[in-house]
Amino acid sequence: NNRWYGSLFTTITDFPISEMTLGMNMLSNLSDSSHIAGLSLTYSPLDHLRFAGTLYTYLGDPNGEYTYTGNSTSVELSGSVEF
């Protein structure tokens, strides 16, 4: 069973201020027409401190690789400090 995938990643720095970055991405299983689309925002007020949030939405056939759980969206929050 062959699987074909495609992806698109875009990043906009300094959005809307120099400490923030906007990311948009999509990962697609072209074989079953299921997709994950993500929108992320990262805030780095200091060189070694970072906060991020990502909203994912799952699109396509309900029985696809990315949609089989029945969830239409998910949110990921993270933070990091480097020493």
Side-chain angles (χ1 to χ4, degrees), residues 23 25 36-41 53-58 72-76:
N25 62 66
I36 302 173
L39 179 66
S40 63
L41 190 61
T54 304
L55 173 66
Y56 296 103
T57 187
Y58 305 93
S72 61
T73 58
S74 65
V75 174
E76 180 180 294

Side-chain angles (χ1 to χ4, degrees), residues 8-66:
L8 175 66
F9 295 87
T10 303
T11 303
I12 302 171
T13 58
D14 302 333
F15 179 87
I17 59 176
S18 62
E19 293 86 6
M20 295 182 94
T21 301
L22 176 70
M24 296 170 282
N25 62 66
M26 181 173 273
L27 178 62
S28 298
N29 180 329
L30 302 175
S31 299
D32 71 5
S33 297
S34 64
H35 319 277
I36 302 173
L39 179 66
S40 63
L41 190 61
T42 303
Y43 176 58
S44 299
L46 302 170
D47 287 340
H48 301 289
L49 179 64
R50 183 180 73 95
F51 302 100
T54 304
L55 173 66
Y56 296 103
T57 187
Y58 305 93
L59 308 163
D61 185 316
N63 295 317
E65 179 178 4
Y66 304 124

